[in-house]
Amino acid sequence: MSPLTDQVRGLLRRTLDAYGDSPQAAGWLLHHLERFDEPLRVAIAGKVKAGKSTLLNALVGERIAPTDAGECTRIVTWYADAPAPGVRMRLRDAGQPERPLTLSRRDGALRIDLQGAPVETVDRLLVDWPSQHLRRTNLIDTPGIASLSADTSARAGEFLTPEDAPSPADAVVYLMRHLHSGDVRFLESFHDRGVARATPVNTIAVLSRADEIGVGRLDALTSARRIARRYRGDDKLRGLCQTVVAVAGLLAESARTMRQDEFVALSELAALPRADVEALLLSADRFGRTELDRPDAATRVRLLERFGLFGVRLASTLIRQGMTDPTALADDLVRRSGLDELRRVLDTQFSERRDLLKSRSALLAVDLVLTREPRPATLALRTEVERILAGAHEFVELRALSDLRAGKIVFPPDALTDAERLLGGDGGSALARLGLDDGSGPREVHDAATDALRRWRRRAESPLTGRASAEAARIVVRSCEGLLAAPVSH
């Protein structure tokens, strides 16, 4: 447990003691105290058809989130690790008990029967599923933002950006097909308007459906990564999220759940003359309707639904080039999809910051109680919240990182990149902060941290450095001192 976590837990307990006579406040605080022992909560958000459920399935490695336009996609759905599969329904009426529902499989995908309950009466679905990925992270699938259904869109807004409370999620993965003004407005609205001092630390943007950017060409993902790189350098977006990653979600999901019969069909396709395959892949209509014995039309339609034109083209090309082992093919498709890069980003930006994100959510909860039910006897608790925010170096780093990315603090380009990395912009570990390879040892970490400390002390003490920049430089110096004092973390 980190010193920050210790401080925040203690604050939560003292606040809980002070509000023991208020059932609502006490329940809220106890809930947040228990959240420290839960996995990190990561919500997947985006507009309708951005590929949220598909990406969730890819991350888990099973088709457990419905991807069609059914009624369940209009409900906030939580996915958590459990010994056995199961699903419960929680109604908006708090007086009603949770109701177990029936799970079934159709065409390999999970189906949930609401047993006639109107969608409008359901608060959330809670899906239990044995999964290694879900042991560390609870994933939350949200309805589409800017949906044609006002109720569906409102549900997403209520969960992600409630007006009078912090979001139930610790962090957000926001999916977008291109960067539109609506995406920017959402990312702006997700910033906290109070105790957390608006920071992008808990948001990652994903350029989803990346394979569609190049109209299914083999170089589609290269083009998508180039666009994601450009977005990462956008001054506006840098101040709203940690980073932007390109992912072909459909390819990732299909590769992680590929069946033997699909591999056989792709192999049959790869065995055809290359010119014939390229002619088939000119359009989805031609691919499904062209006369062909094997694979037959019905099989090709299913392949198209599962892999898309890009996935079929890429998989058949790889098989033609000699990749005849289905496991090796699936692994290569996952790697090319961008899913591995996203998982690395989730680990460095979210998992490594678990204690910080949990503490942040807990401080928001305490601040909400103190604001809603002010009492003269709780002035010391308010002071403690401010003391932690001002004194905990983790929060000082976040504010400095946010100011750097928003352009409020000016450094030369090389120094700006160096400062962001040392403040944890690329990940919280010593190796990530110092830009070292995974195999670097304690001596290399010590030497790199010592060099960083020297150059940032010089910048902080230089009479040519402005006041705001000098203050930011001193924060970087403190981070370097922390790297030298702490044991090496990978």
Side-chain angles (χ1 to χ4, degrees):
M1 188 184 304
S2 71
L4 174 62
T5 302
D6 262 338
Q7 292 179 58
V8 177
R9 276 184 185 263
L11 174 62
L12 266 173
R13 292 191 182 98
R14 288 192 294 278
T15 311
L16 189 56
D17 289 340
Y19 284 88
D21 59 342
S22 171
Q24 185 176 12
W28 176 250
L29 293 165
L30 184 60
H31 166 70
H32 278 270
L33 190 59
E34 293 170 345
R35 273 180 70 169
F36 271 105
D37 298 319
E38 296 177 4
L40 198 68
R41 297 175 176 182
V42 177
I44 299 179
K47 293 180 180 177
V48 175
K49 294 297 182 183
K52 299 181 296 296
S53 300
T54 298
L55 182 64
L56 189 149
N57 289 337
L59 287 169
V60 175
E62 294 190 65
R63 298 175 66 192
I64 59 174
T67 56
D68 56 15
E71 55 187 6
C72 288
T73 60
R74 297 162 54 195
I75 301 171
V76 175
T77 305
W78 297 55
Y79 295 86
D81 177 54
V87 61
R88 291 159 288 142
M89 176 173 63
R90 183 178 297 174
L91 299 175
R92 286 181 175 267
D93 182 353
Q96 295 290 322
E98 287 183 355
R99 186 187 306 173
L101 299 178
T102 302
L103 288 173
S104 61
R105 287 276 192 187
R106 186 187 306 164
D107 297 327
L110 203 65
R111 302 286 173 172
I112 299 172
D113 181 6
L114 296 181
Q115 298 178 350
V119 169
E120 295 75 18
T121 66
V122 181
D123 176 64
R124 68 186 61 174
L125 297 176
L126 304 160
V127 177
D128 295 326
W129 198 263
S131 166
Q132 185 173 357
H133 181 81
L134 293 174
R135 286 174 198 161
R136 292 191 305 163
T137 307
N138 287 345
L139 294 176
I140 307 167
D141 197 6
T142 63
I145 296 166
S147 168
L148 292 176
S149 164
D151 176 69
T152 299
S153 191
R155 282 171 176 270
E158 287 171 11
F159 178 82
L160 294 164
T161 56
E163 291 186 6
D164 58 350
S167 169
D170 296 309
V172 171
V173 175
Y174 183 74
L175 275 59
M176 57 189 186
R177 299 174 76 167
H178 290 284
L179 182 60
H180 295 291
S181 58
D183 300 311
V184 172
R185 283 195 299 272
F186 168 78
L187 291 171
E188 286 176 334
S189 72
F190 194 69
H191 277 205
D192 299 311
R193 298 172 291 276
V195 67
R197 309 289 194 271
T199 171
V201 67
N202 63 337
T203 309
I204 290 172
V206 173
L207 191 61
S208 62
R209 306 181 73 149
D211 52 306
E212 296 178 4
I213 288 175
V215 200
R217 299 193 311 267
L218 283 175
D219 64 349
L221 285 178
T222 302
S223 299
R225 290 189 184 102
R226 191 161 51 244
I227 293 171
R229 213 162 32 242
R230 189 170 74 242
Y231 285 163
R232 285 197 294 271
D234 182 271
D235 290 339
K236 181 70 171 177
L237 203 55
R238 277 165 48 82
L240 297 175
C241 64
Q242 278 289 320
T243 190
V244 183
V245 182
V247 180
L250 181 62
L251 178 64
E253 179 200 47
S254 301
R256 292 208 69 194
T257 60
M258 187 170 67
R259 303 187 301 268
Q260 180 63 30
D261 63 306
E262 292 172 336
F263 176 76
V264 170
L266 290 167
S267 299
E268 291 173 344
L269 199 62
L272 297 173
R274 182 172 181 175
D276 292 353
V277 176
E278 288 302 320
L280 281 172
L281 290 169
L282 285 174
S283 71
D285 184 68
R286 177 177 292 201
F287 186 74
R289 292 178 179 273
T290 301
E291 292 287 337
L292 193 66
D293 290 334
R294 298 182 68 86
D296 59 40
T299 300
R300 276 178 278 139
V301 169
R302 286 195 296 273
L303 281 181
L304 203 58
E305 290 172 349
R306 286 271 286 142
F307 291 83
L309 280 173
F310 173 77
V312 171
R313 176 177 281 115
L314 178 58
S316 59
T317 299
L318 291 173
I319 293 172
R320 189 182 302 114
Q321 292 174 349
M323 191 169 287
T324 56
D325 177 67
T327 301
L329 176 65
D331 290 344
D332 198 48
L333 292 176
V334 168
R335 180 183 62 80
R336 291 170 183 264
S337 73
L339 184 68
D340 288 346
E341 181 185 359
L342 175 60
R343 293 176 80 105
R344 283 194 297 272
V345 170
L346 291 174
D347 283 340
T348 58
Q349 302 296 350
F350 290 166
S351 298
E352 289 179 7
R353 285 193 168 105
R354 180 186 181 279
D355 286 348
L356 176 59
L357 293 172
K358 290 286 185 183
S359 296
R360 184 171 171 274
S361 296
L363 285 174
L364 286 165
V366 172
D367 184 69
L368 179 68
V369 169
L370 296 176
T371 301
R372 280 185 174 177
E373 298 186 30
R375 301 178 178 185
T378 60
L379 180 60
L381 296 174
R382 171 74 69 183
T383 303
E384 179 71 2
V385 170
E386 293 299 330
R387 187 192 67 78
I388 293 175
L389 282 170
H393 185 66
E394 294 91 334
F395 287 114
V396 174
E397 277 190 330
L398 291 188
R399 289 193 291 275
L401 185 60
S402 181
D403 287 345
L404 284 170
R405 289 184 161 171
K408 296 179 182 178
I409 300 170
V410 179
F411 285 130
D414 289 348
L416 178 63
T417 300
D418 192 32
E420 288 187 8
R421 188 178 63 246
L422 288 166
L423 290 171
D426 294 338
S429 71
L431 299 184
R433 289 174 182 259
L434 295 166
L436 296 175
D437 296 333
D438 287 344
S440 301
R443 172 51 57 184
E444 292 162 296
V445 169
H446 181 273
D447 291 346
T450 301
D451 287 344
L453 179 60
R454 286 173 182 158
R455 65 177 176 268
W456 281 97
R457 273 182 177 162
R458 285 196 301 270
R459 186 173 294 277
E461 295 166 2
S462 171
L464 299 178
T465 304
R467 179 184 295 182
S469 297
E471 178 58 33
R474 284 190 284 273
I475 295 170
V476 178
V477 165
R478 176 67 187 87
S479 295
C480 294
E481 291 172 342
L483 290 173
L484 286 169
V488 177
S489 170
H490 287 68

